[in-house]
Amino acid sequence: MAELNENQIKAIKHKDGPMLVFSGPGSGKTTVITRRLIYLTEKYGIDPKDILTITFTKAAADEMENRYLSAGGRKGVMFSTFHALFFRILRSCFGYTVDMIMTENEKRDYLSRTIESYNIDTDDINQTVDIFLMNSGLIKNNLSNIKDYVPRDMSKDEFKALFKLYEEHKERNEKLDFDDMMYGCYNLLKNDSGVLEKWRKRFKYILIDEFQDINRAQYECVKMLAWPENNVFAVGDDDQSIYSFRGASPSFMKEFVENYKGCRQLLLNINYRSTDRIIALSEKIISKNKIRFPKTIKGTGRKGEQPVLFFCKTPGDEADRIVNKICSLHDREGIPYRDMAVIYRNNLTANAYARRMAKRGIPYFL
């Protein structure tokens, strides 16, 4: 505890009832979650088997479990992704097996063949598959009705026809995809009080990491599982919500406060990772967001270099500016190429950089 700040300690010592923790970048949220788990079991005497910790990727779940155990935690706490948890619940009722889950290749192969055979109008089959899967996922994750759903970037009739074929294909072949796990688990818990009661008794404390990435189906399932004690400890940052195409929204953090009247709210407001100048620039940008909780983040007194923010009209303009900067740093300041890095959002973005670096004789690795 001596190494932690005041708000981190308050979060760790919280016991019963709902709590929403706003955790910005570099604020030590994983430390808070793992230390709180130890506090629950060691100080409050909670059985580790009564605790569920949910993250969004298997890698994150494994890392959190390793950090918890290496910090002296006792075995028994369940660390799980939402998908793994929901599949476990479904499997306990319906006997599902892992080989019933469609792989990415299976989904794409079926949809590509179907789009071709039904002559759906498209210039790029792969892109159409991507668009369909995004819309199909949004229906399930948002608990939407297919009759009222207006698809993005795809005609309503074509989407409905493809959706019907896809659902029939899965049912005929006894298959399900990851979105079905969300939707199926929600319906199971909502309509089967016996199953719901069984899993409510199983988990008396629920901790959720990266809460800003939660979608409607996940949130409704958590509410059902946590009732009536509502021992939900949610950690997230509404300023880092970037998965709206999967149904995630920072508005669920607002909903949390509304659903759990009087819930405790706490801000982990010290960023140990970034310099003060980076934090100040980031604050100026993110403060323009309209759906957010107002907050002020502090650094640790390290000013650091002045970061540069610039906007470009095209990806080509951006690549030109970056490559010119690399050449300037190398030729005028003697900085080796191996000491420089360009971080990009997706693989398509890399093409503009690769072409320009090859043209100017700059060695690079992607």
Side-chain angles (χ1 to χ4, degrees):
M1 290 294 191
E3 304 167 4
L4 305 174
N5 64 51
E6 182 181 352
N7 282 357
Q8 287 175 325
I9 292 171
K10 285 180 181 177
I12 289 167
K13 289 185 174 182
H14 174 74
K15 185 173 182 279
D16 294 326
M19 174 179 262
L20 180 61
V21 178
F22 298 93
S23 175
S27 61
K29 68 179 178 66
T30 305
T31 297
V32 165
I33 292 172
T34 53
R35 297 290 175 87
R36 179 169 185 263
L37 290 170
I38 293 173
Y39 213 85
L40 285 174
T41 55
E42 300 304 315
K43 297 292 184 181
Y44 296 134
I46 308 299
D47 189 332
K49 292 179 181 176
D50 291 341
I51 303 172
L52 168 66
T53 304
I54 307 174
T55 67
F56 280 81
T57 66
K58 187 178 185 304
D62 290 343
E63 181 195 356
M64 193 165 289
E65 182 173 17
N66 290 334
R67 286 183 63 171
Y68 163 70
L69 293 173
S70 64
R74 288 192 288 147
K75 289 186 177 181
V77 175
M78 180 185 285
F79 293 85
S80 176
T81 64
F82 272 110
H83 286 109
L85 171 66
F86 292 169
F87 186 67
R88 180 187 289 250
I89 293 172
L90 290 169
R91 185 175 59 187
S92 70
C93 290
F94 305 122
Y96 289 160
T97 58
V98 174
D99 58 6
M100 292 173 69
I101 303 171
M102 291 184 82
T103 65
E104 194 66 22
N105 286 339
E106 280 183 285
K107 284 192 297 186
R108 301 188 75 86
D109 286 347
Y110 170 76
L111 290 167
S112 296
R113 290 196 312 271
T114 305
I115 289 167
E116 278 187 303
S117 61
Y118 282 84
N119 295 318
I120 291 176
D121 185 29
T122 178
D123 295 324
D124 187 332
I125 288 179
N126 286 328
Q127 186 179 46
T128 302
V129 169
D130 288 338
I131 292 170
F132 171 80
L133 288 173
M134 175 193 68
N135 282 293
S136 173
L138 284 173
I139 284 181
K140 303 282 178 69
N141 295 330
N142 288 337
L143 306 177
S144 302
N145 189 321
I146 182 68
K147 293 178 183 177
D148 306 321
Y149 182 74
V150 179
R152 301 182 192 177
D153 305 320
M154 196 173 186
S155 84
K156 194 170 184 178
D157 290 341
E158 287 183 345
F159 173 73
K160 279 189 172 182
L162 191 53
F163 185 84
K164 183 173 183 291
L165 291 167
Y166 181 52
E167 293 301 303
E168 288 173 349
H169 169 78
K170 287 185 292 182
E171 186 174 350
R172 191 166 54 248
N173 293 277
E174 296 186 324
K175 292 283 187 177
L176 70 160
D177 61 21
F178 285 109
D179 297 319
D180 294 326
M181 294 180 197
M182 309 275 188
Y183 192 70
C185 192
Y186 166 77
N187 284 319
L188 175 63
L189 295 177
K190 184 181 179 184
N191 298 314
D192 193 321
S193 58
V195 173
L196 177 58
E197 192 58 33
K198 170 190 170 183
W199 289 95
R200 273 180 181 161
K201 289 178 179 177
R202 173 72 175 80
F203 303 118
K204 296 183 175 63
Y205 290 83
I206 300 175
L207 294 84
I208 307 171
D209 186 22
E210 305 290 6
F211 190 70
Q212 76 277 356
D213 293 337
I214 204 166
N215 61 42
R216 172 61 63 194
Q218 293 164 342
Y219 183 52
E220 295 301 327
C221 286
V222 166
K223 285 198 296 182
M224 285 190 281
L225 289 170
W227 193 86
E229 286 83 3
N230 298 326
N231 292 324
V232 183
F233 183 84
V235 182
D237 182 5
D238 53 321
D239 293 336
Q240 293 188 67
S241 184
I242 60 172
Y243 293 112
S244 59
F245 62 92
R246 295 201 305 231
S249 171
S251 63
F252 289 116
M253 300 186 82
K254 298 263 187 189
E255 266 194 55
F256 189 96
V257 176
E258 293 164 5
N259 293 149
Y260 298 116
K261 299 292 184 186
C263 79
R264 292 191 63 187
Q265 298 178 53
L266 200 62
L267 171 63
L268 303 183
N269 64 333
I270 301 176
N271 181 334
Y272 293 96
R273 181 186 302 152
S274 304
T275 59
D276 291 354
R277 283 173 167 165
I278 289 174
I279 294 168
L281 177 59
S282 302
E283 288 267 284
K284 284 183 181 177
I285 299 167
I286 203 68
S287 66
K288 305 299 180 185
N289 275 15
K290 291 181 173 59
I291 304 176
R292 70 186 294 266
F293 289 84
K295 59 184 79 71
T296 302
I297 305 297
K298 300 185 293 186
T300 56
R302 296 174 296 128
K303 274 195 171 182
E305 298 271 335
Q306 183 64 51
V308 177
L309 172 70
F310 61 89
F311 297 90
C312 294
K313 292 182 179 179
T314 68
D317 292 343
E318 182 181 82
D320 284 332
R321 178 158 181 170
I322 294 291
V323 172
N324 287 338
K325 180 68 174 176
I326 289 170
C327 290
S328 174
L329 290 169
H330 179 268
D331 298 340
R332 296 180 187 176
E333 300 183 35
I335 296 175
Y337 290 127
R338 66 176 175 271
D339 289 353
M340 291 182 259
V342 179
I343 302 173
Y344 48 86
R345 181 69 180 270
N346 54 45
N347 289 333
L348 193 63
T349 312
N351 294 340
Y353 292 98
R355 285 196 296 270
R356 284 157 177 79
M357 289 187 191
K359 188 175 181 180
R360 297 177 72 163
I362 300 172
Y364 65 87
F365 294 96
L366 289 180

